[in-house]
mmCIF file with all atom_site columns, all heavy atoms in Angstrom:
data_model
loop_
_atom_site.group_PDB
_atom_site.id
_atom_site.type_symbol
_atom_site.label_atom_id
_atom_site.label_alt_id
_atom_site.label_comp_id
_atom_site.label_asym_id
_atom_site.label_entity_id
_atom_site.label_seq_id
_atom_site.pdbx_PDB_ins_code
_atom_site.Cartn_x
_atom_site.Cartn_y
_atom_site.Cartn_z
_atom_site.occupancy
_atom_site.B_iso_or_equiv
_atom_site.pdbx_formal_charge
_atom_site.auth_seq_id
_atom_site.auth_comp_id
_atom_site.auth_asym_id
_atom_site.auth_atom_id
_atom_site.pdbx_PDB_model_num
ATOM   1  N  N   . HIS A 1 264 ? -15.404 -5.666  3.739  1.00 96.00 ? 551 HIS A N   1
ATOM   2  C  CA  . HIS A 1 264 ? -16.740 -6.068  4.173  1.00 96.00 ? 551 HIS A CA  1
ATOM   3  C  C   . HIS A 1 264 ? -17.815 -5.174  3.533  1.00 96.00 ? 551 HIS A C   1
ATOM   4  O  O   . HIS A 1 264 ? -18.757 -5.659  2.903  1.00 96.00 ? 551 HIS A O   1
ATOM   5  C  CB  . HIS A 1 264 ? -16.812 -5.983  5.708  1.00 96.00 ? 551 HIS A CB  1
ATOM   6  C  CG  . HIS A 1 264 ? -18.152 -6.301  6.276  1.00 96.00 ? 551 HIS A CG  1
ATOM   7  N  ND1 . HIS A 1 264 ? -18.464 -7.552  6.777  1.00 96.00 ? 551 HIS A ND1 1
ATOM   8  C  CD2 . HIS A 1 264 ? -19.283 -5.570  6.407  1.00 96.00 ? 551 HIS A CD2 1
ATOM   9  C  CE1 . HIS A 1 264 ? -19.715 -7.548  7.202  1.00 96.00 ? 551 HIS A CE1 1
ATOM   10 N  NE2 . HIS A 1 264 ? -20.233 -6.362  6.985  1.00 96.00 ? 551 HIS A NE2 1
ATOM   11 N  N   . GLU A 1 265 ? -17.634 -3.879  3.679  1.00 97.00 ? 552 GLU A N   1
ATOM   12 C  CA  . GLU A 1 265 ? -18.661 -2.962  3.167  1.00 97.00 ? 552 GLU A CA  1
ATOM   13 C  C   . GLU A 1 265 ? -18.739 -3.020  1.636  1.00 97.00 ? 552 GLU A C   1
ATOM   14 O  O   . GLU A 1 265 ? -19.802 -2.801  1.058  1.00 97.00 ? 552 GLU A O   1
ATOM   15 C  CB  . GLU A 1 265 ? -18.402 -1.528  3.644  1.00 97.00 ? 552 GLU A CB  1
ATOM   16 C  CG  . GLU A 1 265 ? -18.384 -1.355  5.167  1.00 97.00 ? 552 GLU A CG  1
ATOM   17 C  CD  . GLU A 1 265 ? -19.602 -1.924  5.890  1.00 97.00 ? 552 GLU A CD  1
ATOM   18 O  OE1 . GLU A 1 265 ? -20.670 -2.044  5.257  1.00 97.00 ? 552 GLU A OE1 1
ATOM   19 O  OE2 . GLU A 1 265 ? -19.479 -2.269  7.089  1.00 97.00 ? 552 GLU A OE2 1
ATOM   20 N  N   . HIS A 1 268 ? -21.413 -5.423  0.610  1.00 98.00 ? 555 HIS A N   1
ATOM   21 C  CA  . HIS A 1 268 ? -22.765 -4.834  0.663  1.00 98.00 ? 555 HIS A CA  1
ATOM   22 C  C   . HIS A 1 268 ? -22.991 -3.937  -0.554 1.00 98.00 ? 555 HIS A C   1
ATOM   23 O  O   . HIS A 1 268 ? -24.045 -3.973  -1.187 1.00 98.00 ? 555 HIS A O   1
ATOM   24 C  CB  . HIS A 1 268 ? -22.917 -3.981  1.921  1.00 98.00 ? 555 HIS A CB  1
ATOM   25 C  CG  . HIS A 1 268 ? -23.053 -4.763  3.190  1.00 98.00 ? 555 HIS A CG  1
ATOM   26 N  ND1 . HIS A 1 268 ? -24.054 -5.686  3.387  1.00 98.00 ? 555 HIS A ND1 1
ATOM   27 C  CD2 . HIS A 1 268 ? -22.332 -4.751  4.346  1.00 98.00 ? 555 HIS A CD2 1
ATOM   28 C  CE1 . HIS A 1 268 ? -23.942 -6.205  4.612  1.00 98.00 ? 555 HIS A CE1 1
ATOM   29 N  NE2 . HIS A 1 268 ? -22.896 -5.664  5.210  1.00 98.00 ? 555 HIS A NE2 1
ATOM   30 N  N   . GLU A 1 294 ? -25.630 -9.673  4.303  1.00 97.00 ? 581 GLU A N   1
ATOM   31 C  CA  . GLU A 1 294 ? -24.459 -9.973  5.116  1.00 97.00 ? 581 GLU A CA  1
ATOM   32 C  C   . GLU A 1 294 ? -23.660 -11.124 4.507  1.00 97.00 ? 581 GLU A C   1
ATOM   33 O  O   . GLU A 1 294 ? -22.434 -11.171 4.634  1.00 97.00 ? 581 GLU A O   1
ATOM   34 C  CB  . GLU A 1 294 ? -24.927 -10.296 6.537  1.00 97.00 ? 581 GLU A CB  1
ATOM   35 C  CG  . GLU A 1 294 ? -23.896 -10.064 7.593  1.00 97.00 ? 581 GLU A CG  1
ATOM   36 C  CD  . GLU A 1 294 ? -23.339 -8.643  7.639  1.00 97.00 ? 581 GLU A CD  1
ATOM   37 O  OE1 . GLU A 1 294 ? -24.024 -7.696  7.215  1.00 97.00 ? 581 GLU A OE1 1
ATOM   38 O  OE2 . GLU A 1 294 ? -22.189 -8.509  8.076  1.00 97.00 ? 581 GLU A OE2 1
ATOM   39 N  N   . SER A 1 297 ? -21.204 -9.437  2.214  1.00 97.00 ? 584 SER A N   1
ATOM   40 C  CA  . SER A 1 297 ? -20.095 -8.726  2.859  1.00 97.00 ? 584 SER A CA  1
ATOM   41 C  C   . SER A 1 297 ? -19.128 -9.719  3.498  1.00 97.00 ? 584 SER A C   1
ATOM   42 O  O   . SER A 1 297 ? -17.909 -9.550  3.424  1.00 97.00 ? 584 SER A O   1
ATOM   43 C  CB  . SER A 1 297 ? -20.626 -7.742  3.899  1.00 97.00 ? 584 SER A CB  1
ATOM   44 O  OG  . SER A 1 297 ? -21.482 -8.386  4.804  1.00 97.00 ? 584 SER A OG  1
ATOM   45 N  N   . TYR A 1 415 ? -32.015 -7.414  14.061 1.00 93.00 ? 702 TYR A N   1
ATOM   46 C  CA  . TYR A 1 415 ? -31.011 -7.335  13.001 1.00 93.00 ? 702 TYR A CA  1
ATOM   47 C  C   . TYR A 1 415 ? -29.810 -8.248  13.271 1.00 93.00 ? 702 TYR A C   1
ATOM   48 O  O   . TYR A 1 415 ? -29.301 -8.898  12.357 1.00 93.00 ? 702 TYR A O   1
ATOM   49 C  CB  . TYR A 1 415 ? -30.519 -5.889  12.823 1.00 93.00 ? 702 TYR A CB  1
ATOM   50 C  CG  . TYR A 1 415 ? -29.670 -5.731  11.582 1.00 93.00 ? 702 TYR A CG  1
ATOM   51 C  CD1 . TYR A 1 415 ? -30.267 -5.483  10.355 1.00 93.00 ? 702 TYR A CD1 1
ATOM   52 C  CD2 . TYR A 1 415 ? -28.294 -5.890  11.625 1.00 93.00 ? 702 TYR A CD2 1
ATOM   53 C  CE1 . TYR A 1 415 ? -29.498 -5.387  9.202  1.00 93.00 ? 702 TYR A CE1 1
ATOM   54 C  CE2 . TYR A 1 415 ? -27.521 -5.802  10.475 1.00 93.00 ? 702 TYR A CE2 1
ATOM   55 C  CZ  . TYR A 1 415 ? -28.127 -5.549  9.278  1.00 93.00 ? 702 TYR A CZ  1
ATOM   56 O  OH  . TYR A 1 415 ? -27.373 -5.467  8.144  1.00 93.00 ? 702 TYR A OH  1
ATOM   57 N  N   . TYR A 1 419 ? -26.467 -11.370 10.941 1.00 94.00 ? 706 TYR A N   1
ATOM   58 C  CA  . TYR A 1 419 ? -25.010 -11.447 10.752 1.00 94.00 ? 706 TYR A CA  1
ATOM   59 C  C   . TYR A 1 419 ? -24.536 -12.901 10.707 1.00 94.00 ? 706 TYR A C   1
ATOM   60 O  O   . TYR A 1 419 ? -23.749 -13.283 9.840  1.00 94.00 ? 706 TYR A O   1
ATOM   61 C  CB  . TYR A 1 419 ? -24.276 -10.745 11.889 1.00 94.00 ? 706 TYR A CB  1
ATOM   62 C  CG  . TYR A 1 419 ? -24.294 -9.239  11.833 1.00 94.00 ? 706 TYR A CG  1
ATOM   63 C  CD1 . TYR A 1 419 ? -24.671 -8.499  12.931 1.00 94.00 ? 706 TYR A CD1 1
ATOM   64 C  CD2 . TYR A 1 419 ? -23.898 -8.561  10.689 1.00 94.00 ? 706 TYR A CD2 1
ATOM   65 C  CE1 . TYR A 1 419 ? -24.657 -7.109  12.903 1.00 94.00 ? 706 TYR A CE1 1
ATOM   66 C  CE2 . TYR A 1 419 ? -23.881 -7.181  10.651 1.00 94.00 ? 706 TYR A CE2 1
ATOM   67 C  CZ  . TYR A 1 419 ? -24.265 -6.460  11.763 1.00 94.00 ? 706 TYR A CZ  1
ATOM   68 O  OH  . TYR A 1 419 ? -24.241 -5.092  11.735 1.00 94.00 ? 706 TYR A OH  1
HETATM 69 ZN ZN1 . ZN  B 2 .   ? -22.309 -5.965  7.157  1.00 90.76 ? 99  ZN  B ZN1 1
#
Side-chain angles (χ1 to χ4, degrees):
H551 177 98
E552 301 308 335
H555 286 302
E581 204 57 26
S584 53
Y702 190 86
Y706 284 129

